[in-house]
Amino acid sequence: MGPLNGFRIIELAGLGPGPFCGMVLADLGAEVISVERVGAQASKPALDCSRRGKRSIALNLKSEEGVEALLKLTETADALFEGFRPGVTEKLGIGPEQCMQRNPRLVYGRMTGWGQYGPLSKAAGHDINYISLTGVLGAIGRAGEKPVPPLNLVGDFGGGGMFLALGIVSALLETARSGEGQVIDAAMTDGSAVLMSMFHTAHEMGVHSLQRGTNRLDTGAHYYDCYETSDGKYISIGSIEPQFYAQLMEVAELPKAEFGEQLDRSRWPRLKKTLEQVFRQKTRDQWCELMEGTDICFAPVLDLKEAWAHPHNQVRQTYVEVDGMQQPAPAPRFSRTAPGIRFAARQYGADTAEVLGELGFAPEQLEAMRSAKVCG
């Protein structure tokens, strides 16, 4: 099993980045128990890959019995994480103080968009808002055009879910030494700001303009962009280093007199227009035959289904099929403690009786809790 085998982590179920964090931890070997609300259901939960590898229990956390069941569960856990607005779990009686009274070694992870404190901490928001506040969104887009949201990858999943997972693992390492738990405040604004570190550096060094679409990595440079091919598909070029750029000029038969001054920014707009014409002369597959696998730094721009079928991804088994659903395989790879998917997504609340039974709840107690709509 994965490197986190033996750790028990409780996920207070939410949407998007929370389940993603739990999926990553489960893929890496942790036993993740997802606590759903009573009555939650989905027509096809197996199609939600973020639910894979987790046991699912349903509790009514607005009832005393449901709260007590969760607190008893925390006594057996190494970590718990939630993604509610600040103060919500405290009102329910399952905040950090209440949980850590039961288990002083507990790592309590909290993920929000704005953080646990600050002028905006209680306000609603989404990924697009969090990355707006940290300069991320303002830096993404073509020159003279409006900013382009990069899906919700940077705020929710990169700045939120992945930083929360890193925080939990880091805190678990510290707890192993100190014997004490702690609370993690994972804000998507903080995380997305950290993801921009390289561009803060570049700006301070005077090599990154605040005007989007004019820099080397934001489509300003002709040698780092996507280009349409004759069949209406796209390829990507990232020939940054001079030796790679030289190979691009050679294979694409670009005249050195015109393209030789790679770093002359005044030429970039004109050279980009020329490259647009060049790449429209062949299909995407024809360019793949010429450039794929070379040091040009080239790749076809694939959709999700095409990515599944690409030979490189097939050989590395980057994608797997679980119960008929194609989905990304666990990452990263380990030489000795290989991560994996223990089982496909469970039905909502499918493991309630089993998990609560392990905690010592008798069958008649479970039945009483069900009848009172305390558990699923």
Side-chain angles (χ1 to χ4, degrees), residues 80-143:
L80 173 150
F81 68 89
E82 51 95 355
F84 303 119
R85 293 198 204 189
V88 169
T89 58
E90 283 87 348
K91 290 181 181 179
L92 292 172
I94 54 173
E97 183 177 353
Q98 294 97 329
C99 290
M100 295 174 78
Q101 282 180 349
R102 296 293 188 97
N103 181 0
R105 292 177 59 94
L106 186 72
V107 170
Y108 196 107
R110 319 193 78 172
M111 177 176 59
T112 57
W114 309 110
Q116 292 298 311
Y117 60 89
L120 298 176
S121 61
K122 298 294 179 67
H126 280 297
D127 178 291
I128 194 171
N129 311 122
Y130 311 137
I131 67 173
S132 294
L133 202 70
T134 53
V136 178
L137 185 56
I140 300 175
R142 296 189 178 277

Side-chain angles (χ1 to χ4, degrees), residues 224-281:
Y224 197 92
D225 205 348
C226 299
Y227 291 96
E228 187 176 5
T229 54
S230 64
D231 52 352
K233 298 180 180 180
Y234 290 86
I235 59 171
S236 64
I237 298 291
S239 308
I240 296 175
E241 292 78 2
Q243 66 273 28
F244 303 155
Y245 184 74
Q247 193 168 356
L248 169 65
M249 288 195 296
E250 178 184 352
V251 175
E253 298 181 349
L254 304 176
K256 188 173 182 179
E258 183 179 4
F259 281 83
E261 298 297 329
Q262 177 187 1
L263 302 182
D264 184 351
R265 291 176 177 247
S266 66
R267 297 189 180 194
W268 286 1
R270 176 168 51 83
L271 296 180
K272 181 167 292 192
K273 290 185 180 300
T274 301
L275 275 182
E276 290 173 353
Q277 297 172 2
V278 170
F279 286 121
R280 285 199 188 101
Q281 294 173 5

